[in-house]
Amino acid sequence: MSRKPISVVKSRLHHNCSEMIQPISDTHRLNDTTWCNWAPFDQSNYKELLGAVDNAFLVAYAIGMFISGIFGERLPLRYYLTAGMLLSGLFTSLFGLGYFWNIHALWYFVLIQICNGLVQTTGWPSVVTCVGNWFGKGKRGLIMGIWNSHTSVGNILGSLIAGIWVDEQWGLSFVVPGIITAVMGLVTFFFLIEYPEDVDCSPPQHHGELEENVDNAEDPGNGPHSNRENGLESAVTLSKEPSAQPAAISFFGALWIPGVVEFSLCLLFAKLVSYTFLYWLPLYIFNVVHFTAKESGDLSTLFDVGGIAGGILAGLISDYTNGRATTCCVMLILAAPMMFLYNYVGQSGISISIVMLLTCGALVNGPYALITTAVSADLGTHKSLKGNAKALSTVTAIIDGTGSIGAALGPLLAGLISPTGWNNVFYMLITADILACLLLCRLVYKEILGWRSSLSRDRGSSVALTHAR
């Protein structure tokens, strides 16, 4: 909710002033077509400047994420999250206060975005860890798919709240979400429960029989991951005292967990696509369809509505098939032609635009949601960790931090490429989508081998029962 307003306000910071009546007391020249824009975004290179503001947040977020997960494993999550949300609310509000304080210096907006990006890294590793502590592997994809809809709900709220004031006092488009974020930080402080054991509930079961089939399908004794897992076991040290807490895993120890590197690199390209839509979709609609800033922001929320359905569907399918990588790969394959079609025919009518936005949102955000939630929780409680749950936050931070590099690159590239035409932006997104799919090929192959092994064993059991009868 606090990240979305900038994408809505962009079209207000720079737009065509020729259709507006210039105030008599205005200090600009009579025929100045930029009098209504907000300096320094009133120049011809405004897209590059807006891209720099986006990138300031996203680069800081990507760098901070790798560090944040390490702190998340070692600090009480309730205090860590509360501090992060209070500071996020503060810096979001400070960005909007630039309007009321009449600030026109680019460095101010860039500095606020950098600070906001750093403090917001406290969020994702912590919340995934908390939910992972409560729910086991069995229905984790569906549960986390439903839970992860909060990101799309936040995007929708951010667009709608920002749209209320974007044409009048755009500063309130940031101040109000900032205040709400800070208030929810206080709610977190008073009500968050980190572990089931804190309220006398039983901890969840993190592993199942099907997972063993997938992990052992290539070669149970001497598979390609055996050396990695042996190295991992030496990286994860458990205290010999029964009552002692297990030691937190190191950064490089987490990288040895099978699948972490592949899913991290896949998320880099998947998040590049998702965040380019997040930051540039309202401006694309504003420029191509010529809607007002508010109407563009409202229509762009349909992409997030589709994202809710996509996240839940991806979780449900991956639970049923026990194929996280395959589910992501299939959705990424389908997303590429849908983005191509949306760019060429999506603006020919409002009905077509709505359907295409919903579909693109589901196919783009489905894999992104699955990797950042259920996949991160699966890998953070991998069987090679020997029951040590102290890796959850670090693994989540590595995966989302790598993805955030793509999130920083996407809007930056969109800002640089969009002056050459929106078609080129979509070609860039389709290329990134294909690369994300290719990075999962080894894991998809491994899951297929696991299914074949499971089917062979089931047939063998059926034959044995038949002979016994």
Side-chain angles (χ1 to χ4, degrees), residues 317-461:
I317 294 172
S318 68
D319 278 343
Y320 180 76
T321 61
N322 199 44
R324 309 283 198 218
T326 306
T327 302
C328 291
C329 195
V330 170
M331 296 186 82
L332 288 168
I333 290 171
L334 294 175
M338 287 306 300
M339 286 189 286
F340 180 84
L341 289 174
Y342 173 68
N343 182 44
Y344 277 92
V345 301
Q347 311 306 328
S348 57
I350 188 66
S351 298
I352 296 176
S353 183
I354 290 172
V355 172
M356 297 290 282
L357 278 173
L358 290 170
T359 307
C360 286
L363 295 174
V364 168
N365 282 341
Y368 163 41
L370 186 63
I371 294 172
T372 53
T373 55
V375 169
S376 297
D378 288 349
L379 297 175
T381 55
H382 195 269
K383 67 184 183 68
S384 58
L385 293 167
K386 304 297 183 184
N388 182 7
K390 282 287 188 176
L392 247 175
S393 184
T394 302
V395 169
T396 303
I398 290 173
I399 292 176
D400 199 43
T402 306
S404 297
I405 296 173
L409 287 174
L412 175 64
L413 292 174
L416 297 174
I417 296 173
S418 57
T420 68
W422 286 105
N423 287 347
N424 295 329
V425 174
F426 275 87
Y427 293 147
M428 180 266 291
L429 296 178
I430 292 169
T431 302
D433 181 86
I434 294 171
L435 289 173
C437 182
L438 292 175
L439 285 163
L440 292 180
C441 286
R442 190 192 67 82
L443 295 177
V444 170
Y445 176 69
K446 183 182 174 184
E447 288 178 352
I448 292 172
L449 289 179
W451 294 333
R452 289 177 59 185
S453 176
S454 179
L455 287 172
S456 298
R457 195 166 64 176
D458 289 343
R459 289 196 191 100
S461 300

Side-chain angles (χ1 to χ4, degrees), residues 29 63 87 93 106 108 128 144 179 237 269 285 288 332 364 386 388 404 415 434:
R29 297 189 306 274
I63 294 172
L87 290 171
S93 298
L106 180 64
Y108 173 83
V128 172
M144 284 194 155
I179 292 172
T237 56
F269 292 103
I285 296 172
V288 175
L332 288 168
V364 168
K386 304 297 183 184
N388 182 7
S404 297
I434 294 171

Side-chain angles (χ1 to χ4, degrees), residues 9-18 20 26 28 32-44 46 99 102 104 170 286:
V9 173
K10 275 179 184 176
S11 56
R12 180 64 182 85
L13 297 177
H14 185 104
H15 61 123
N16 188 358
C17 306
S18 60
M20 302 177 66
D26 196 86
H28 290 78
D32 189 355
T33 58
T34 65
W35 65 266
C36 63
N37 296 327
W38 190 267
F41 307 106
D42 56 346
Q43 305 301 317
S44 59
Y46 74 98
Y99 170 83
N102 202 31
H104 297 277
W170 62 259
F286 180 82

Side-chain angles (χ1 to χ4, degrees), residues 222-242:
N222 301 300
H225 292 311
S226 59
N227 291 332
R228 294 179 68 182
E229 294 185 8
N230 290 335
L232 177 62
E233 288 170 19
S234 63
V236 181
T237 56
L238 301 179
S239 174
K240 293 181 180 179
E241 299 177 15

Side-chain angles (χ1 to χ4, degrees), residues 2 57 87-88 91-92 111-120:
S2 63
F57 173 91
L87 290 171
S88 296
F91 288 116
T92 301
L111 180 62
I112 292 299
Q113 287 288 78
I114 290 173
C115 295
N116 207 356
L118 289 174
V119 298
Q120 287 201 22

Side-chain angles (χ1 to χ4, degrees), residues 49-89:
L49 296 180
L50 290 171
V53 171
D54 290 340
N55 218 46
F57 173 91
L58 293 168
V59 169
Y61 184 84
I63 294 172
M65 182 61 71
F66 292 104
I67 305 170
S68 177
I70 297 173
F71 284 112
E73 300 287 11
R74 293 160 175 82
L75 297 174
L77 293 180
R78 186 163 61 93
Y79 299 148
Y80 194 49
L81 268 175
T82 299
M85 291 189 72
L86 291 174
L87 290 171
S88 296

